[in-house]
Amino acid sequence: MLFAVRRLLFIILILAASGLLSAAPAIAWQEGSQTPEQVPAPPQTPPTPPQQAPPAQNPAPPAAPVHTGPVIVINPAHGGTDEGARTDNGLVEKNVVLIFARMLRSEFERQGFRVVMTRNDDSNPSYEDRAAVANAYRDAIFISLHISSTGQTGTARTYSYQFSNPVVTVTAAPAAGAENAARESAVAASKGLVTWEEAQRPYMVSSHRLADVLQSALAQKFAGSPPTATRFAVRELRSVAAPAIAVEVSSMSGADSNSLLAMGASMTGTVERSIQALRPVGSQPASAPDTAGTK
Ligand SMILES: [Zn+2]
């Protein structure tokens, strides 16, 4: 008899335990984890097209690559009362570079990049405000767009910033010389201590490399373009704390809107592919200054 009671109790315990167990997954689900029984059926995903599929007419493809790489900051130069170069037939650089910028934005967005523009109207932000757009991100690439007033039509040049003075640091320059000072400058930049005027300095190597890669591609695309990039004190690049380049298409002189648009379309594709080649979609964000380690 006693044995039967124990057995009954044992069975009740088993039933109670199994009841608790069956309630457990519901609790777990509330907390966000899923048991196999309760995993909802995966959404019906359409077969993904190959990565190299030609871009669709629709500017917002549903299957854009997942992107964790740099934010592309596009700077249409000039704006507002600063019109830049002007053609004989009334086209002004500030408007054409804005069109180029929008073309470039579409090109990058098609490839899954996040894109920000320093202006998207006829405003004229200060150099600092333009740089600040890029400096708000930990991992950005700044691309400034110009059209030259003169020069061989159908060519393109890439610039990266060249400081006139070899080394300036926010702290007193050490007696040990330029190398130490450069290192201190980079360290100061990594700590966010660098002045706006010096913001580009720690990124010069990256900027030069980017400019060279792009110019090499542009030279193939646009015959007559210089084979290498130009180092120059392009003011809007100086305060950018990220790899920064300026691309200048030639030229407004004697150009009509059709030839400029065709040039812009060729240029944007080349820029996008060059950056993609350096920084593939899906790459991990860089930790920033060149001193942090480069490829
Ligand atoms: Zn310009």
Side-chain angles (χ1 to χ4, degrees), residues 116-291:
V116 182
M117 296 192 13
T118 58
R119 71 173 174 99
N120 199 7
D121 54 22
D122 192 27
S123 59
N124 185 18
S126 69
Y127 294 130
E128 281 69 26
D129 285 347
R130 292 172 194 250
V133 174
N135 297 357
Y137 299 98
R138 188 164 172 271
D139 185 29
I141 289 179
F142 186 92
I143 304 169
S144 191
L145 298 175
H146 287 268
I147 301 168
S148 67
S149 51
T150 57
Q152 187 183 341
T153 301
T155 59
R157 282 173 193 271
T158 310
Y159 298 86
S160 51
Y161 196 83
Q162 178 74 62
F163 284 87
S164 55
N165 51 337
V167 171
V168 174
T169 60
V170 288
T171 55
E179 272 191 29
N180 273 348
R183 196 155 41 239
E184 289 216 346
S185 177
V187 169
S190 70
K191 291 176 180 172
L193 299 175
V194 89
T195 64
W196 280 88
E197 292 285 291
E198 292 292 305
Q200 177 58 198
R201 194 181 290 281
Y203 297 88
M204 282 170 61
V205 174
S206 296
S207 298
H208 290 343
R209 185 176 61 220
L210 178 58
D212 287 339
V213 167
L214 175 56
Q215 186 58 37
S216 163
L218 288 172
Q220 290 180 18
K221 191 85 184 175
F222 303 109
S225 303
T228 55
T230 307
R231 317 292 187 227
F232 190 73
V234 182
R235 181 58 188 86
E236 68 260 31
L237 305 182
R238 180 166 184 161
S239 300
V240 177
I245 55 169
V247 180
E248 183 183 61
V249 166
S250 290
S251 65
M252 294 295 284
S253 171
D256 59 47
S257 54
N258 283 341
S259 64
L260 281 173
L261 286 179
M263 184 95 189
S266 298
M267 181 271 293
T268 55
T270 308
V271 171
E272 190 280 317
R273 282 189 296 277
S274 295
I275 287 181
Q276 184 108 256
L278 272 179
R279 302 289 301 272
V281 168
S283 67
Q284 288 303 304
S287 57
D290 296 322
T291 49

Side-chain angles (χ1 to χ4, degrees), residues 45-116:
T45 46
T48 24
Q51 293 282 324
Q52 296 303 320
Q57 291 300 312
N58 186 342
V66 175
H67 185 68
T68 59
V71 174
I72 306 299
V73 178
I74 302 174
N75 178 54
H78 312 288
T81 54
D82 173 14
E83 295 189 331
R86 174 182 278 276
T87 65
D88 303 334
N89 50 11
L91 287 174
V92 285
E93 182 187 355
K94 66 170 184 177
N95 294 334
V96 182
V97 290
L98 182 56
I99 294 168
F100 281 15
R102 289 169 178 162
M103 293 163 85
L104 194 54
R105 179 182 61 187
S106 299
E107 189 75 30
F108 275 107
E109 285 179 345
R110 259 200 295 275
Q111 298 301 324
F113 283 89
R114 183 174 174 197
V115 180
V116 182

